[in-house]
Amino acid sequence: MSVLITGGAGYIGSHTCVELINAGYDVVIIDNFSNSSPEAIKRIGKITGREIKCFNCDIRDSKGLEKIFAGNKIDAVIHFAGLKAVGESIHKPLEYYDNNIGGTVTLLESIKKAGCKKIVFSSSATVYGMKNTSPLKEDMPTGGTTNPYGTTKLYIEQILRDLYASDGEWSISLLRYFNPIGAHKSGLIGENPRDIPNNLMPYISQVAVGRLRCLNVFGNDYDTPDGTGIRDYIHVVDLAAGHVKALEKVLGESGISVYNLGTGKGVSVLELIHAFEKVSGKKINYRIAPRRKGDVAVCFADPGKALRELGWKAERDVDEMCEDTWRWQKNNPEGF
Ligand code: NAD
Ligand code: UFG
């Protein structure tokens, strides 16, 4: 079986390619390297001992996609490609709508023409908005996103629902990720932010390695045990394994399903800092800063549906997430 991976050079895509190859799938990657490096492709090859087929192609390029579908047998698509910086999306909404929504529509047209009609999509817990109370369940209302990035995920989920309603031959899996962190055990691939990281874990690891001086903890007056925000951090290799399970389902039957991919456990900002300090032996310099606009106090998954229907659950704990992040960061202080 051969799977087309859009955005396969990126953080989650690269780890998923490794898990897919380990599970016996062939992968064909397309990426425009707008937020990644071709070096990631070499590293996937090094980890798996395989020659990796990769095309430098934008998902908005219908002619390029057509050629790739014509020249390669594709049984299903896993669609990671997209822009993902929440803050940037507020300043550049049109870029986000064009790249994420426009790109997805072009990709879906190409998939349909090629006739494979099977797709796993990278959605996000952000579609739950600010109103629901954790643990978040798949049947809770979505909407009320606070930035264009989140809105692209919400709209793409709807586009995929509409597509399935129009043609029941499609097989679609919407995966709502919580907070992926960690890296592959080899230390060869990991998260590689281009600019100053927006997310907590890459910020912590860059402070630890000496690239950044001090972490701002955004608020310690939330209604949580230590006052800092609580999230559901999930090891990226567990997340990648969830894609292999979702793919099996998509290959096996038509339909549309949505799954939370999280651990179900909430961890505070201070708890994550202290876990990282423990495993790395490094002191993380931090200060308490005002709350960040748009943040909720608590966000974690009910991952029960993925366990019941896909037989998947996250296995790795926070210490392992920190250990693996640290190995990657130490070995690659400047990223790829
Ligand atoms: P990433 O930026 O590392 O990977 C995305 C990849 O897509 C990059 O390699 C980028 O170059 C590529 N890309 C972007 N636009 C493209 C286009 N038009 N054509 C071809 N390639 C393009 O991000 P990631 O963290 O690996 O995230 C993967 C997906 O998961 C994204 O859709 C993201 O929104 C979603 N997601 C991520 C998180 C997270 O915290 N990392 C959480 C929820 C959802
Ligand atoms: N935080 C800090 N300092 C930082 C960065 C983050 O204190 O420098 C805190 C935040 O306030 C929050 C927690 O760390 O309490 C996690 O923040 P992240 O930015 O790492 O993650 P978010 O939960 O805010 O956002 C992530 C993804 C989004 C996605 C969302 C869905 O980055 O793309 O999860 O739940 F939409």
Side-chain angles (χ1 to χ4, degrees), residues 60-180:
R60 291 165 294 182
D61 172 7
S62 56
K63 291 222 165 70
L65 291 175
E66 210 173 295
K67 267 194 211 148
I68 293 166
F69 276 105
N72 297 274
K73 181 181 153 293
I74 304 291
D75 298 295
V77 176
I78 305 184
H79 177 30
F80 294 102
L83 300 175
K84 63 161 184 178
V86 170
E88 183 186 61
S89 77
I90 295 169
H91 300 292
K92 300 179 176 172
L94 298 181
E95 255 180 58
Y96 273 69
Y97 289 124
D98 175 41
N99 193 85
N100 293 7
I101 298 183
T104 300
V105 171
T106 303
L107 176 71
L108 291 170
E109 277 165 352
S110 307
I111 298 175
K112 191 175 163 186
K113 262 192 211 154
C116 89
K117 296 189 184 176
K118 295 180 198 314
I119 185 166
V120 176
F121 172 63
S122 298
S123 189
S124 165
T126 196
V127 301
Y128 290 111
M130 312 260 304
K131 292 214 178 105
N132 294 300
T133 303
S134 293
L136 299 170
K137 282 182 188 265
E138 291 84 348
D139 57 5
M140 283 177 169
T142 55
T145 46
T146 53
N147 56 78
Y149 164 72
T151 307
T152 67
K153 294 294 174 194
L154 193 68
Y155 287 179
I156 295 168
E157 284 200 1
Q158 188 58 49
I159 289 168
L160 288 164
R161 284 201 187 84
D162 292 343
L163 184 62
Y164 178 70
S166 75
D167 176 356
E169 278 181 14
W170 278 86
S171 182
I172 299 170
S173 189
L174 309 174
L175 302 182
R176 293 179 181 158
Y177 311 158
F178 282 69
N179 292 60

Side-chain angles (χ1 to χ4, degrees), residues 14 32 56 86 104-105 113-114 164 168 178 217 228 295 303 312 332:
S14 57
N32 67 357
N56 185 340
V86 170
T104 300
V105 171
K113 262 192 211 154
Y164 178 70
F178 282 69
V217 172
T228 65
D295 274 353
W312 171 89
N332 307 269

Side-chain angles (χ1 to χ4, degrees), residues 84 86 124-126 149 177-179 198-201 203 215-218 229-231 233 269 292 295 299:
K84 63 161 184 178
V86 170
S124 165
T126 196
Y149 164 72
Y177 311 158
F178 282 69
N179 292 60
N198 300 302
N199 297 116
L200 180 61
M201 184 51 126
Y203 209 111
L215 168 75
N216 287 312
V217 172
F218 296 138
I230 288 182
R231 294 291 182 275
Y233 297 96
V269 175
R292 183 172 67 178
D295 274 353
C299 172

Side-chain angles (χ1 to χ4, degrees), residues 199-226:
N199 297 116
L200 180 61
M201 184 51 126
Y203 209 111
I204 292 177
S205 66
Q206 290 196 16
V207 170
V209 85
R211 268 176 76 177
L212 294 170
R213 284 171 57 101
C214 181
L215 168 75
N216 287 312
V217 172
F218 296 138
N220 68 348
D221 56 354
Y222 285 107
D223 185 14
T224 61
D226 66 19

Side-chain angles (χ1 to χ4, degrees), residues 18 52 90 160 196:
V18 170
I52 305 300
I90 295 169
L160 288 164
I196 294 177

Side-chain angles (χ1 to χ4, degrees), residues 245-263:
K245 294 289 189 182
L247 178 70
E248 281 168 14
K249 181 170 165 104
V250 153
L251 286 169
E253 63 196 41
S254 55
I256 182 161
S257 334
V258 50
Y259 298 106
N260 285 336
L261 296 184
T263 64

